[in-house]
Amino acid sequence: MRRHLQECPKLKVVQKGQLKLNAMPGKSDGASGILNWKFDMTRMREVIPHMNMVHELPFSFVEYDLFNVLMKEANPSYTKISRAMVKQDCISAYGIARKRIQKLLNLVNSYSITTDMWTLIQNIHYMVVTCHFVDSDFKLHKCILNFVEVVTLTVDNAKTNDVVAKKLMENVSIQKKFSIDGKMFHVRCCAHILNLLVQDGLTKIKDIIHNVRESVKRVSASPGRLHTFSELSKQLQMPKKHLILDVSTLWNATYAMLSTAFEFKKVFVNYAERESTCKTLPSEEDWQKVEDVCHFLGLFNEATKVISGSEYPTSNLFLQELYEIKEAMDDLFLDEGDWMKDMVAEMNLKFNKYWGECNLLIPIGAVLDPRFKMKLIKFSFKAIYDAEKAEEEIKLVEETLNELFKEYVEACKEPNAGSSTSSNIGSGQTGSSSIPSSSIFTTSRFGRGIKTGSAKYEQHIRSVDCVESVKSELLTYLEEGVLIPEPGEHFDALEWWKNNKLKYKILSKMAAEILAIPLTTVASESAFSAGGRVIDPHRASLGTKMVDMLICGADWYRHYYGLQKKKKKNLLNGVYVNFSLSIGRMKLNVMDN
C-alpha cells in the first residue's frame, strides 16, 4: 500500500492541484490568518518581471544557479525559466502597467510634466518625461511616461529655452486656451537657479576654494598621509568624519567640502607642521573666510533640501526660503565692512535676472497654504523688492489669484447647469417640491422641444445661485485667520485641503492642481540615476525601446507596490541639459534650467 501510494499516477494528479494551508501574518505580532494557498507558476511568471524591472536586475538573473536552488527549496514545483522568457514577460508586464497608468490619468483633470535630457557615454541622447498629479484623495503622485532617445532637440542655455517655450506655447494655444493667459506657462527650475546664484558667488573666492581642495587632495592621495591625518584627529578628539572632495560643478558638494574641512581646521594646522612640503594650506584669514562662507551658504543648503526631494515638495514651500536668502544677501551687501560684499553683489545680479519679476507660481502656491495666505506675500515681498515694486507685485498676485479662481468657477458652472437640467428631465419624479417633467418642455407643431419659462428660470437660478455661493470661497478663505500649527508639527497642505474640500469645493480643486506643479526638475533628473545603472557599459547594447520599457516599468511597478525609490549616492557619467515643462487643464507650464 505504501509503495502504491508513492507511485500511483492518478494520486499524483490529485496532489498536484491540492490546496495547501498558508498562514498569513496579521498587522499585529500575534494576529494571523489561515488561507487556502496553491503554488501557481503563472503567478510567478507575473511577479518575476516586476522584480527584474524594479530592482534593475539583468534578464539572466533567473538563470543563476543558486537562484534556482533557492526557488526549488521554497517550492519543489518551481520550474526554471530562461532569460528570453523573462524578457517577453517584462514586455507583457510593461503593456499591462501602461494601460493601468493611462486609465489612472484619465481620471485626473490636471497634471504637470517635467522633462530632462541626458547624454550617455555612448553619445546617445535621452529625454525623460515625468508626470505629476494629485488624485481624488489629494495624494501627490509622479510617474515616468517616457524615457526616449532624442536626435533633433538641442537646448543649450536659458535664452534658447525661452524661444522653445514661446514656440511650444504658440503651438499648444491653437488647440486650447491657456489658464490666466499663460502667465504661469514658463516656470524656471528653482534648484538650478540657486545653483547658478551660488556658483557666481563662489568665483569671488576661487583661490580659497582651490587651497582647501588641494589640501584635501594631498591628504587623500596617500595612505600614509591619510593615516597621519587620522591619528592627529584622534589625538585632538575630533568627530568621526571623513574629508570630502568636491565636484567643482556642484556647489553643494563644494559647500560640504568647505564645511567639513573647517571642522578639521586644527588637524590641518598640526598636519602642516609635520609636512613641510604642504604649501596649499589656507591661512588663518582664509579659514575665517571659509567659516563666513559656510555660515552664509547654509541658508542655500537648507533651501535646496526643501525643494529638491525626488518625492518632491509642493509649490507652497519655497517662498519663505527665497525670502530668507534675499534678506541675508541684502544684509551682507549693505555692510560696508564685510569682505563678502563683492561675492553677494554677483549673486544679487543673478537673483534679479531670474526673480526680479515675480514668478507667479511661487507666491500663488504660498497663498494656497493656510499657514501663509496673503500675509506671507505682504511680509516677504517687502524684503525681496523695494517698497514701490513690492506694492505692484502684491497687486499682481491678488489679480492673478482672482482671475484664476474665476476660471475655475466658470469651468464648474456649465457642468452644474447641464447636470441639473438633465437630472430633472430624466428622473421623471413628481411631488410638491418638484416640477413635473411634462411642464419643463412643450412640443411645437414642428416637433421641436421648447423649454418653458419656468424651466428657463429654474436653470438660471440654479446656475446663478451656484456661482454666487462659490464666488465667496476665495474671499472666505483669505479673510479667515492663518493656521498656526504646533511647534515641530508636520503640516501637509494637500491633506488640509482634503479635509476642507466640502467647505471649499472649487478652491480645494484649484489648490490641489496648483500645488502639484513642481518647482524643480529633480524628479526627472532622478530617473537618470536609474538610467546610469540600466545602461552601464556592459549593457550598452540595449535598444532604446528596451531602455524605455525597463525605466518606465520600474517606476510604474514601484508605484503599484507602494515602494519608494532608495536614494543612492552616485555620480553619473553623463552631461545634463535640463528642459522641463508642466502641463495642466487649460494651462501649460514650461520649467527649464
Side-chain angles (χ1 to χ4, degrees):
M1 178 60 71
R2 185 183 304 111
R3 185 169 60 253
H4 171 74
L5 291 175
Q6 291 174 348
E7 298 177 0
C8 178
K10 292 184 178 180
L11 189 59
K12 289 182 179 179
V13 173
V14 174
Q15 288 177 341
K16 188 175 182 180
Q18 182 75 33
L19 293 176
K20 300 179 180 179
L21 291 179
N22 184 31
M24 302 296 292
K27 293 183 179 180
S28 61
D29 294 338
S32 62
I34 303 296
L35 299 175
N36 287 331
W37 174 81
K38 176 183 175 182
F39 178 77
D40 188 350
M41 191 60 198
T42 304
R43 177 59 180 160
M44 293 293 294
R45 290 280 300 273
E46 291 177 6
V47 177
I48 286 176
H50 301 173
M51 178 185 68
N52 270 76
M53 290 188 286
V54 170
H55 296 295
E56 302 160 13
L57 300 173
F59 296 139
S60 59
F61 177 80
V62 293
E63 296 180 346
Y64 291 176
D65 293 333
L66 285 180
F67 173 76
N68 284 279
V69 170
L70 173 67
M71 298 306 296
K72 282 286 186 181
E73 288 293 326
N75 195 303
S77 301
Y78 174 79
T79 305
K80 182 179 179 179
I81 56 179
S82 66
R83 69 177 73 186
M85 296 167 69
V86 171
K87 180 179 178 180
Q88 290 302 315
D89 290 344
C90 284
I91 295 173
S92 300
Y94 168 82
I96 294 171
R98 184 182 179 89
K99 291 179 180 178
R100 188 184 296 119
I101 291 295
Q102 289 174 337
K103 185 177 179 181
L104 179 62
L105 290 178
N106 287 336
L107 302 175
V108 179
N109 292 324
S110 175
Y111 50 89
S112 299
I113 287 177
T114 59
T115 75
D116 202 3
M117 294 183 65
W118 181 47
T119 301
L120 192 63
I121 54 177
Q122 288 85 3
N123 205 30
I124 301 175
H125 308 282
Y126 280 96
M127 173 180 278
V128 62
V129 181
T130 308
C131 181
H132 313 259
F133 60 92
V134 174
D135 63 16
S136 58
D137 200 34
F138 285 73
K139 299 293 184 183
L140 202 57
H141 298 276
K142 73 176 182 68
C143 61
I144 297 175
L145 299 183
N146 250 335
F147 192 93
V148 293
E149 182 183 8
V150 178
V151 294
T152 59
L153 179 63
T154 303
V155 183
D156 57 3
N157 54 45
K159 187 175 181 180
T160 305
N161 286 345
D162 292 342
V163 176
V164 173
K166 183 179 179 181
K167 293 294 183 182
L168 189 59
M169 184 176 180
E170 290 174 357
N171 292 337
V172 178
S173 62
I174 297 173
Q175 301 177 357
K176 61 165 62 178
K177 179 184 177 183
F178 284 104
S179 179
I180 55 175
D181 297 325
K183 291 178 182 177
M184 290 198 299
F185 175 80
H186 193 178
V187 180
R188 300 183 185 275
C189 175
C190 293
H192 184 68
I193 295 174
L194 285 180
N195 184 54
L196 293 177
L197 255 70
V198 179
Q199 290 287 8
D200 280 10
L202 292 179
T203 59
K204 294 296 181 180
I205 57 168
K206 58 183 179 181
D207 292 338
I208 299 174
I209 295 174
H210 172 76
N211 286 340
V212 173
R213 184 182 293 126
E214 290 302 315
S215 297
V216 173
K217 279 184 181 178
R218 181 176 180 81
V219 171
S220 304
S222 165
R225 294 172 186 167
L226 199 58
H227 177 73
T228 302
F229 193 88
S230 177
E231 289 299 317
L232 288 172
S233 298
K234 291 178 182 178
Q235 292 175 15
L236 294 172
Q237 298 181 343
M238 300 300 295
K240 292 183 179 180
K241 286 187 176 182
H242 297 284
L243 292 175
I244 298 174
L245 185 62
D246 72 329
V247 179
S248 58
T249 55
L250 301 176
W251 77 265
N252 49 345
T254 302
Y255 165 74
M257 179 187 72
L258 293 175
S259 57
T260 305
F262 181 76
E263 291 187 49
F264 287 97
K265 172 187 171 183
K266 293 181 180 179
V267 183
F268 273 111
V269 172
N270 280 270
Y271 177 80
E273 292 174 355
R274 295 193 180 191
E275 293 281 342
S276 58
T277 56
C278 184
K279 304 297 184 181
T280 59
L281 185 70
S283 64
E284 185 63 32
E285 182 183 356
D286 288 345
W287 280 120
Q288 183 59 50
K289 290 181 178 181
V290 168
E291 182 181 12
D292 294 341
V293 168
C294 289
H295 178 73
F296 177 60
L297 293 185
L299 295 175
F300 290 84
N301 191 52
E302 290 303 315
T304 302
K305 288 180 181 178
V306 169
I307 67 173
S308 297
S310 61
E311 299 301 324
Y312 78 94
T314 45
S315 57
N316 56 306
L317 300 177
F318 187 57
L319 182 58
Q320 54 187 342
E321 306 297 332
L322 186 67
Y323 147 72
E324 189 175 5
I325 287 171
K326 178 60 175 174
E327 188 177 50
M329 288 196 302
D330 287 345
D331 289 344
L332 288 173
F333 185 74
L334 295 174
D335 188 350
E336 293 293 338
D338 200 303
W339 69 271
M340 293 177 63
K341 185 174 180 178
D342 291 341
M343 173 182 171
V344 173
E346 288 291 327
M347 299 172 74
N348 261 324
L349 289 175
K350 192 70 71 175
F351 185 98
N352 293 330
K353 176 183 177 180
Y354 288 105
W355 287 320
E357 295 296 328
C358 181
N359 182 335
L360 286 171
L361 176 62
I362 295 174
I364 288 179
V367 172
L368 295 174
D369 188 322
R371 300 171 298 171
F372 306 145
K373 300 187 179 180
M374 284 300 298
K375 288 181 171 56
L376 178 62
I377 308 300
K378 295 175 181 178
F379 175 76
S380 60
F381 275 25
K382 291 177 182 178
I384 297 175
Y385 308 104
D386 58 52
E388 185 178 350
K389 182 69 172 176
E391 291 298 325
E392 292 178 5
E393 298 296 344
I394 291 171
K395 184 178 179 181
L396 176 62
V397 172
E398 291 175 339
E399 290 174 351
T400 305
L401 192 64
N402 285 313
E403 184 181 350
L404 184 62
F405 181 68
K406 286 178 182 178
E407 290 186 3
Y408 276 83
V409 170
E410 291 299 319
C412 294
K413 176 180 176 181
E414 292 181 6
N416 286 343
S419 61
S420 63
T421 304
S422 61
S423 61
N424 285 333
I425 296 171
S427 62
Q429 295 177 353
T430 60
S432 58
S433 60
S434 62
I435 302 175
S437 59
S438 59
S439 67
I440 295 179
F441 284 88
T442 60
T443 304
S444 70
R445 60 178 179 173
F446 299 105
R448 296 178 181 176
I450 301 175
K451 192 178 291 187
T452 65
S454 59
K456 290 180 179 180
Y457 174 75
E458 180 182 333
Q459 180 177 342
H460 165 74
I461 201 65
R462 284 177 181 271
S463 174
V464 172
D465 183 64
C466 173
V467 175
E468 290 298 330
S469 62
V470 296
K471 273 185 178 178
S472 63
E473 281 187 17
L474 181 59
L475 291 176
T476 301
Y477 169 75
L478 294 176
E479 289 172 357
E480 289 181 348
V482 295
L483 178 68
I484 304 177
E486 294 294 328
E489 178 186 355
H490 172 72
F491 179 78
D492 186 341
L494 284 174
E495 185 69 21
W496 188 91
W497 283 108
K498 173 187 174 182
N499 296 333
N500 290 272
K501 65 181 179 181
L502 295 179
K503 181 178 180 180
Y504 303 110
K505 294 181 181 179
I506 293 181
L507 190 59
S508 62
K509 182 179 180 182
M510 175 179 134
E513 294 181 356
I514 294 298
L515 295 176
I517 300 175
L519 283 169
T520 73
T521 61
V522 172
S524 290
E525 289 178 6
S526 65
F528 291 117
S529 50
R533 295 188 295 273
V534 171
I535 324 170
D536 60 27
H538 302 290
R539 306 177 72 188
S541 61
L542 285 175
T544 55
K545 290 185 178 180
M546 184 60 65
V547 171
D548 178 37
M549 182 199 75
L550 293 175
I551 296 291
C552 293
D555 185 73
W556 297 344
Y557 281 104
R558 198 177 292 115
H559 180 271
Y560 178 73
Y561 287 106
L563 304 174
Q564 288 191 354
K565 191 173 183 179
K566 293 183 179 179
K567 296 181 180 179
K568 295 187 178 182
K569 296 181 179 180
N570 65 334
L571 298 175
L572 302 177
N573 295 321
V575 181
Y576 283 97
V577 184
N578 300 313
F579 176 66
S580 307
L581 359 138
S582 296
I583 300 180
R585 181 189 60 79
M586 300 194 305
K587 61 176 174 283
L588 176 59
N589 309 308
V590 174
M591 179 185 297
D592 68 72
N593 290 355

